[in-house]
Amino acid sequence: MNENLIFRTIAKKALFIVIAFSFFLFFAGHNNPGGGFIAGLMTTAALVLVYLAFDAKTLKEALPFDFKTLTAIGLVIGIGYGFIPMLFGDPFLTHYFDYYYLPLLGKTELATATIFDLGVYFTVVGAAMTVILTIGEDR
């Protein structure tokens, strides 16, 4: 366990900044650079920061689930979504969008690509954290 107080303090503050930026990248990804893949990598970077500043036990207490399961859920969401347009006679992975008026946001575009990006996000976080934690536990 790392006993560096400065590193831990900075890690606690940076964690929220990196996660917030990850959410921004996730939701900006449909019309701008970003999306599920890079947002997943940013979230993984934040989780690795917690792992380095504290330890695997702290990370597992904060997130008490198996990252392999998260990978599987992401794959089911991403691939499963691809088949839904086929029920309506459209090609695999066809995306739809429209503009809606949302109370606090005003006129907002909602796109089904976000569902696919969520699957990619879960897959990237789950796979990357599984690899990193597996390598970290191998001593």
Side-chain angles (χ1 to χ4, degrees):
M1 181 185 333
N2 190 343
E3 297 295 332
N4 190 336
L5 179 62
I6 296 172
F7 182 50
R8 284 183 172 199
T9 304
I10 292 172
K12 287 178 187 177
K13 306 293 185 209
L15 172 69
F16 295 106
I17 295 169
V18 175
I19 293 292
F21 187 59
S22 173
F23 285 139
F24 168 77
L25 287 173
F26 178 81
F27 288 109
H30 180 63
N31 294 319
N32 298 309
F37 185 79
I38 191 63
L41 289 178
M42 291 296 296
T43 300
T44 301
L47 297 177
V48 168
L49 184 63
V50 170
Y51 177 67
L52 292 174
F54 298 94
D55 56 8
K57 182 181 175 189
T58 304
L59 182 63
K60 288 179 182 177
E61 286 174 2
L63 300 171
F65 54 84
D66 186 16
F67 287 105
K68 290 181 281 252
T69 304
L70 186 64
T71 303
I73 291 169
L75 287 171
V76 167
I77 291 171
I79 294 171
Y81 169 75
F83 287 105
I84 292 174
M86 294 176 73
L87 298 173
F88 302 106
D90 291 326
F92 182 75
L93 278 178
T94 298
H95 296 292
Y96 310 102
F97 71 95
D98 204 351
Y99 292 91
Y100 298 93
Y101 181 81
L102 300 178
L104 294 172
L105 302 174
K107 185 178 178 183
T108 305
E109 178 188 20
L110 296 180
T112 58
T114 307
I115 299 167
F116 176 75
D117 274 344
L118 182 66
V120 172
Y121 176 83
F122 285 163
T123 303
V124 169
V125 171
M129 287 304 296
T130 299
V131 169
I132 290 167
L133 292 176
T134 302
I135 291 171
E137 292 172 353
D138 187 31
R139 293 182 187 213

